[in-house]
Amino acid sequence: MDNGRYDFNAIEKKWQDYWLQNKTFKTPNGAPLRPGQPKPKPNPAARLENRPKYYVLDMFPYPSGQGLHVGHPEGYTASDIVARYKRMKGYNVLHPIGWDAFGLPAEQYAVQTGTHPAVTTQKNIENMRRQIQALGFSYDWDRQVDTTDPAYYKWTQWIFLKFYNSWFDPVLQKARRIEELPIPENIRSGGPKAIQKYINDHRLAYEAEAPVNWCPALGTVLANEEVVGGVSERGGHPVIRKMMRQWMLRITHFAERLLEGLEGLDWTESIKKLQQDWIGKSVGAEVDFQVDGHKAAIRVFTTRPDTLFGATYMVLAPEHPLVNQITTDEYKKSIENYKLEALRKSDLDRTDLAKEKTGQFTGAYAINPVNGSKIPIWISDYVLISYGTGAIMSVPAHDERDFEFAKTFHLPIIAVVRPADEALANQVEKGTCCFVGDGTAMNSGSFNGLSTLEFKEKITAWLEKKGLGKKAINYKLRDWLFSRQRYWGEPFPILHTEDGQTLAVDEKDLPLELPKMEDYKPSESGEPPLSKAADWIHVTLADGTKAKRETNTMPQWAGSCWYYLRYLDSTNKQAAFDPAAEQYWMPVDLYIGGAEHAVLHLLYSRFWHKLLYDLGYVSTPEPFQKLVNQGMILGEDNQKMSKSRGNVINPDKVIADYGADSMRLYEMFMGPLEAVKPWSMQGVEGVHRFLNKTWRMIVDPENGGLQAAVQEVEGDEDTLRILHQTIKKVTGDIEAFAFNTAISQMMIFVNHLSKQPVRPKHALKKFVLLLSAFAPHIGEELWQRLGQTKTLAYEPWPTFDPQLAREKEVELALQINGKIKDRICVSADASESEIEQKVLAHPKVQAALNGQKPKKIIIVKSRLVNLIV
RNA sequence: GCCGGAGUGGCGGAAUGGCAGACGCGAAGGAUUCAAAAUCCUUUCCGGUUCACCCCGGGUGUGGGUUCGACUCCCACCUCCGGCACCA
């Protein structure tokens, strides 16, 4: 202790060592409940494995070379507070951590420096583990996982094979084993090759020649989600479109399940909304338009079948398969040119500012099925080949994009929906304005006069009866591009035989280890680095067949899709996890992490989980019951932290200067967990002063013993009241994730008690238990100095007595006509008539009343009295 | 453009429809000290009046509304942050 500061360095080191050496937070798996068996009550006296479970999960960190930034401890501290709190409440708490260690940054770094990514990765893990341990989080370190460890990725590959060996049954809406796929007779008659192709076409992991986002600088393809505004999310390199053979996962088949599953989850509505929008369900109809003079029909998807009568032209995506067939000779050249142009355009050109519509007439016409009119067929890149049917009917009067296109190319506009607003209706009818809302049908033959809603139903039924169309549902969600042309990822357990067959590696031969390579640089041609591993790549099967290994690797998402399951049983060599452990621990009760994973990671994980659920490996349909997103921490200048701005706060430095407890406490005191908030070093000093003051409240800085004021006494009424109010507030605030206000209340407690010449020891002990969830090192130390010998981690959480927490006297605001005139003190349990009497006798009230009776008296218990005169 | 979230002192923030500004930071003054650090005490929303105490008025992005009473609920608008972005 110097300058009134406690020796946080020594104390924090001491307790971190203690926790590690004693494996204080080692968590046993309990036995799963049998159906009908009552849930055990939280009880700190029960054996750990007999207690009810609570699974608190932090989002999987990537062990980057930069190490921890101040955003990490924010979520980790919040989850650690809950973990420690629940443990003291008598739960068996699973609180693990691990490393999402495959991925681009380590590999990019390796390519630049020549150090193997395996080496850098282990170094980074070491460093981050040191940093995380220096913050005193109560992780069970024996459950640590590392996605780059073959003992881990063995099971990532195993799950991949589950995808490969499954199909999606649209009737049951679930994944099933590929052996159970019914083969239709017409396929069966086509022979083994046809059957094999049929099976391959139904696998949930499949190969496809697909237009991909190729990033030449990174030497890999990227998922749509990894491309932001035409450049790579990591590094900001340009991305172009290219056709390549790729592995895909059929997430689209799970769209409906992924949507429905959100309903029961305790996530914020805004995160659910993000996922819903990403999945992008829309209900409408598919309608066939005959091409004039051809046998072919063009199928379109529309959410507005009620506007069919207003379809004045059609547009196909440039990549649409019918384009060549229907284009007339006269337009062949122009169409070819347009297609080339569209192909050359990057996503950036296609979507960004250049909103001006382009297109080309094919020379062909289609017949509008509802009224037989001949309408021209165009192609344009505003129609996407990857959504719906890649073709649309254009209703310029009632769709903004079609309206713009029609204006550009002078195509006819026919209004078929009349808005309620007269002025607007006139404009729409004249074709000078586009109306996309609901209204009344017009120019629609026998359907005239129907409301939009009714019309939609009637016309869909009508189309179906005539065999011209049917109800249809579309999703924005695309299948997941699952392969990368990089070295540092899980190899696919897949073989390609010389005769072009694809085979899965046998489960018993997993893990398929990543070969050690000296040259792991990506190539600009798109040939993956693994193709250079000559020894590894060539395989001779038992029957003598020669085969080559798949040389793509899995994306970084793969390992993080199921890590929360491996924690349950991280050292299991026989299985990914023991079913009993899964049934005991799942689902995750609380998942804390950044909102940047709102769609991707959380959607992918849920998708994997649903496959495992369908196949019977996990018992819950959803993995993460409650989700909380911590907000970003900005620099002291209120800007995003970045090296170039020079406003990055280094957690190591903060810990060195103020200690881990101050760091933890400050991050929680800054404001609400979910809020975006700026860092303040002076704020850190503030909470640090609070911890010093707490220390001095109990420990005498002169001799290191207890303060003389600390005595075995019951304590006065005020002290007891504040103690019980504090227990109440802190407990409730932890449950509500309002950590900032919990800390305020602890400050109020310390401010009060520090002034007391006599400080009851029992109150201090209870307070230390509360504090220990937030600041565990000083908590343990004070607990010990107060005469305890064991760690406080499993001490029962203090309870409060509502009687003792209650104020005896309360101050009421005295309002006359809603304006505060004075304050009066009454006893907390004063009756309304007592209060009324006291109020009426008040001089200011008498003056205001001027002898008359008040119109109305409103009394709000313990709050105020409002007199209406 | 569309969809979310948020606007409260000098700053971070607090307030089941009921005393706006808890708690912390900063600032000012004082105590302690040879001096400083640390600590402790007092003041600190704005304006007016008088600062001796008080007293009066205004105030939660802007403008309306509901209510005895609105930071809180409703309508319109402005600003900032985040997400999506031709998904028919």
Side-chain angles (χ1 to χ4, degrees):
Chain A
M1 189 97 178
D2 66 309
N3 290 339
R5 286 169 69 155
Y6 74 105
D7 188 356
F8 53 82
N9 274 324
I11 290 170
E12 291 179 357
K13 176 88 178 54
K14 167 181 164 185
W15 288 100
Q16 283 160 16
D17 289 349
Y18 175 95
W19 296 325
L20 280 180
Q21 276 160 24
N22 292 282
K23 290 191 187 286
T24 303
F25 303 110
K26 187 169 172 62
T27 308
N29 286 350
L33 291 179
R34 291 182 305 277
Q37 184 186 350
K39 266 195 178 171
K41 288 217 173 74
N43 175 12
R47 286 175 58 88
L48 266 176
E49 59 270 32
N50 295 336
R51 300 178 186 186
K53 68 94 182 181
Y54 194 85
Y55 188 175
V56 202
L57 182 65
D58 286 308
M59 278 188 189
F60 215 18
Y62 175 76
S64 85
Q66 262 84 61
L68 226 52
H69 59 79
V70 291
H72 286 114
E74 190 188 14
Y76 296 169
T77 303
S79 63
D80 196 57
I81 290 166
V82 175
R84 288 175 180 273
Y85 165 72
K86 289 284 179 182
R87 223 175 261 125
M88 292 167 85
K89 274 284 203 183
Y91 288 84
N92 187 20
V93 173
L94 180 58
H95 189 39
I97 191 81
W99 315 103
D100 186 14
F102 273 130
L104 272 180
E107 194 175 356
Q108 283 298 89
Y109 181 80
V111 169
Q112 281 159 24
T113 62
T115 319
H116 197 276
V119 177
T120 346
T121 299
Q122 286 315 309
K123 216 179 87 198
N124 291 348
I125 288 178
E126 282 304 319
N127 183 44
M128 249 169 106
R129 183 171 36 229
R130 174 191 62 75
Q131 290 184 301
I132 285 179
Q133 284 177 345
L135 280 157
F137 298 128
S138 61
Y139 295 122
D140 177 354
W141 287 100
D142 289 348
R143 290 177 185 259
Q144 224 180 143
V145 302
D146 165 2
T147 53
T148 64
D149 180 353
Y152 180 92
Y153 70 68
K154 169 179 180 173
W155 301 106
T156 310
Q157 292 171 331
W158 178 81
I159 297 172
F160 174 80
L161 290 181
K162 296 299 163 201
F163 277 103
Y164 182 74
N165 286 315
S166 301
W167 64 291
F168 191 83
D169 184 333
V171 179
L172 297 178
Q173 276 287 305
K174 62 178 280 203
R176 297 174 62 184
R177 291 178 168 74
I178 200 78
E179 298 79 34
E180 297 169 10
L181 176 69
I183 312 288
E185 205 36 59
N186 62 329
I187 300 291
R188 201 174 287 281
S189 60
K193 278 229 159 123
I195 294 175
Q196 200 52 51
K197 180 174 186 310
Y198 185 81
I199 291 174
N200 286 345
D201 287 346
H202 283 79
R203 294 179 188 278
L204 294 183
Y206 64 100
E207 286 178 280
E209 192 72 27
V212 296
N213 305 302
W214 171 253
C215 178
L218 293 174
T220 185
V221 303
L222 298 170
N224 287 334
E225 306 80 86
E226 292 169 312
V227 181
V228 179
V231 298
S232 65
E233 190 189 16
R234 283 190 191 271
H237 306 291
V239 172
I240 58 168
R241 286 188 305 155
K242 187 174 174 179
M243 292 299 283
M244 281 178 96
R245 181 191 64 84
Q246 296 295 328
W247 282 94
M248 312 282 289
L249 295 186
R250 235 180 266 283
I251 191 172
T252 48
H253 284 21
F254 288 77
E256 193 60 38
R257 295 259 305 279
L258 290 167
L259 207 52
E260 282 169 5
L262 290 170
E263 270 170 37
L265 299 179
D266 189 2
W267 297 12
T268 60
E269 285 309 312
S270 64
I271 294 283
K272 286 191 191 179
K273 185 100 199 337
L274 281 177
Q275 291 222 346
Q276 283 161 3
D277 289 351
W278 192 267
I279 295 167
K281 179 181 183 173
S282 47
V283 180
E286 279 181 0
V287 187
D288 288 337
F289 283 64
Q290 280 300 320
V291 183
D292 193 32
H294 283 76
K295 282 219 173 100
I298 297 169
R299 176 163 294 182
V300 301
F301 172 73
T302 177
T303 54
R304 294 296 299 270
D306 62 298
T307 60
L308 257 166
F309 287 86
T312 54
Y313 63 101
M314 297 189 81
V315 186
L316 307 186
E319 302 89 345
H320 195 283
L322 278 179
V323 174
N324 287 345
Q325 196 185 321
I326 63 168
T327 302
T328 59
D329 292 341
E330 192 188 341
Y331 290 96
K332 278 254 171 343
K333 187 100 185 99
S334 329
I335 287 286
E336 265 327 298
N337 285 342
Y338 186 82
K339 282 172 72 173
L340 276 174
E341 228 172 275
L343 197 68
R344 265 215 323 273
K345 278 190 189 177
S346 70
D347 277 5
L348 189 65
D349 298 330
R350 239 174 118 152
T351 61
D352 228 40
L353 309 163
K355 290 271 173 172
E356 264 158 54
K357 294 281 181 287
T358 60
Q360 175 60 47
F361 180 44
T362 61
Y365 289 84
I367 309 295
N368 188 332
V370 292
N371 56 14
S373 64
K374 252 175 83 170
I375 56 176
I377 305 172
W378 287 64
I379 67 170
S380 170
D381 63 6
Y382 86 90
V383 174
L384 308 172
I385 187 64
S386 47
Y387 181 77
T389 60
I392 62 162
M393 65 172 200
S394 280
V395 186
H398 305 291
D399 181 286
E400 302 269 8
R401 296 150 301 180
D402 297 347
F403 184 77
E404 254 179 75
F405 192 82
K407 283 276 171 199
T408 310
F409 294 103
H410 309 290
L411 292 157
I413 300 171
I414 300 175
V416 292
V417 184
R418 198 184 161 77
D421 183 284
E422 265 314 305
L424 185 60
N426 282 335
Q427 287 196 29
V428 174
E429 259 176 84
K430 273 189 278 175
T432 53
C433 183
C434 167
F435 172 69
V436 298
D438 289 359
T440 314
M442 59 189 283
N443 293 332
S444 296
S446 60
F447 295 96
N448 280 343
L450 289 178
S451 74
T452 299
L453 204 70
E454 270 179 291
F455 194 171
K456 275 188 189 173
E457 276 172 33
K458 290 231 161 108
I459 188 94
T460 309
W462 183 87
L463 288 167
E464 227 156 302
K465 207 173 84 196
K466 297 260 172 178
L468 296 169
K470 59 174 199 284
K471 187 180 168 184
I473 294 173
N474 258 297
Y475 300 91
K476 278 200 247 179
L477 188 68
R478 308 290 154 77
D479 272 346
W480 177 9
L481 178 72
F482 192 67
S483 43
R484 299 292 182 272
Q485 293 67 51
R486 297 293 295 220
Y487 169 71
W488 196 231
E490 300 87 348
F492 282 86
I494 291 288
L495 296 165
H496 301 280
T497 62
E498 281 183 323
D499 62 349
Q501 285 214 65
T502 301
L503 296 175
V505 170
D506 206 295
E507 280 183 18
K508 70 172 167 29
D509 296 329
L510 298 180
L512 169 61
E513 290 203 30
L514 194 58
K516 302 258 182 302
M517 292 175 74
E518 291 303 314
D519 175 17
Y520 37 79
K521 284 189 184 61
S523 68
E524 282 197 28
S525 64
E527 194 62 12
L530 284 181
S531 58
K532 288 178 277 191
D535 299 345
W536 179 82
I537 207 166
H538 297 285
V539 178
T540 309
L541 301 177
D543 64 358
T545 317
K546 289 214 172 0
K548 276 183 163 181
R549 293 198 187 280
E550 170 64 54
T551 53
N552 282 311
T553 52
M554 299 187 200
Q556 196 185 345
W557 306 108
S560 61
C561 271
W562 73 284
Y563 73 108
Y564 58 92
L565 291 168
R566 187 62 179 170
Y567 284 143
L568 309 178
D569 194 14
S570 60
T571 54
N572 196 327
K573 290 200 168 62
Q574 269 50 259
F577 47 86
D578 175 9
E582 188 279 326
Q583 281 164 49
Y584 175 70
W585 286 115
M586 288 299 288
V588 172
D589 296 281
L590 174 64
Y591 195 18
I592 298 186
E596 67 273 19
H597 294 115
V599 271
L600 305 183
H601 159 63
L602 286 168
L603 197 66
Y604 294 158
S605 282
R606 293 180 58 225
F607 167 44
W608 281 42
H609 198 83
K610 293 208 176 292
L611 173 86
L612 295 174
Y613 178 72
D614 288 351
L615 299 180
Y617 293 106
V618 298
S619 57
T620 65
E622 288 286 337
F624 313 121
Q625 188 50 42
K626 183 176 172 69
L627 174 74
V628 175
N629 289 118
Q630 86 252 17
M632 206 193 342
I633 296 180
L634 305 174
E636 295 201 86
D637 55 358
N638 242 303
Q639 303 272 326
K640 244 186 195 164
M641 282 193 198
S642 77
K643 264 194 209 153
S644 57
R645 286 201 186 88
N647 61 353
V648 177
I649 302 291
N650 177 359
D652 282 342
K653 176 97 166 70
V654 179
I655 294 171
D657 291 350
Y658 301 98
D661 283 336
S662 294
M663 170 91 177
R664 293 172 54 120
L665 211 54
Y666 174 65
E667 293 225 2
M668 295 298 99
F669 188 61
M670 292 171 84
L673 184 61
E674 297 91 333
V676 177
K677 43 212 178 283
W679 187 269
S680 157
M681 262 325 169
Q682 284 172 330
V684 183
E685 281 196 57
V687 294
H688 186 62
R689 273 201 283 266
F690 161 68
L691 288 180
N692 280 315
K693 192 166 177 176
T694 303
W695 181 264
R696 288 193 309 271
M697 169 177 78
I698 295 171
V699 180
D700 187 340
E702 297 300 317
N703 54 29
L706 288 185
Q707 289 276 10
V710 177
Q711 290 169 25
E712 301 275 5
V713 292
E714 186 49 31
D716 62 36
E717 211 175 296
D718 278 356
T719 297
L720 288 179
R721 190 179 62 248
I722 289 179
L723 170 69
H724 285 266
Q725 282 175 344
T726 302
I727 297 171
K728 182 180 178 185
K729 176 92 176 127
V730 171
T731 306
D733 282 354
I734 291 176
E735 297 272 0
F737 299 92
F739 305 111
N740 54 334
T741 47
I743 294 167
S744 297
Q745 182 62 39
M746 291 192 283
M747 288 173 169
I748 291 170
F749 177 88
V750 172
N751 287 345
H752 171 81
L753 264 219
S754 299
K755 288 193 189 110
Q756 302 304 311
V758 176
R759 303 166 200 161
K761 198 169 176 183
H762 74 94
L764 296 174
K765 280 167 68 182
K766 284 186 181 128
F767 172 78
V768 164
L769 291 176
L770 300 180
L771 178 68
S772 75
F774 297 76
H777 309 88
I778 194 174
E780 290 272 21
E781 184 66 23
L782 289 172
W783 185 246
Q784 195 179 60
R785 291 190 186 227
L786 282 164
Q788 309 300 309
T789 52
K790 279 199 327 239
T791 170
L792 50 60
Y794 295 90
E795 286 298 316
W797 186 257
T799 53
F800 67 94
D801 180 342
Q803 284 307 313
L804 291 174
R806 255 181 82 205
E807 299 280 349
K808 249 180 75 189
E809 283 235 306
V810 289
E811 198 184 59
L812 299 185
L814 173 54
Q815 294 184 336
I816 296 174
N817 291 335
K819 296 251 179 241
I820 290 168
K821 292 295 170 191
D822 208 348
R823 279 149 239 263
I824 55 169
C825 269
V826 297
S827 102
D829 39 35
S831 71
E832 294 211 350
S833 61
E834 280 175 79
I835 293 170
E836 210 175 298
Q837 266 181 22
K838 187 155 184 176
V839 165
L840 289 174
H842 194 279
K844 287 202 178 170
V845 172
Q846 299 235 314
L849 281 175
N850 213 355
Q852 291 173 306
K853 273 198 154 181
K855 272 202 198 127
K856 201 173 170 188
I857 302 177
I858 296 154
I859 298 176
V860 183
K861 204 166 167 287
S862 309
R863 294 282 180 188
L864 55 68
V865 184
N866 190 8
L867 244 73
I868 315 303
V869 299

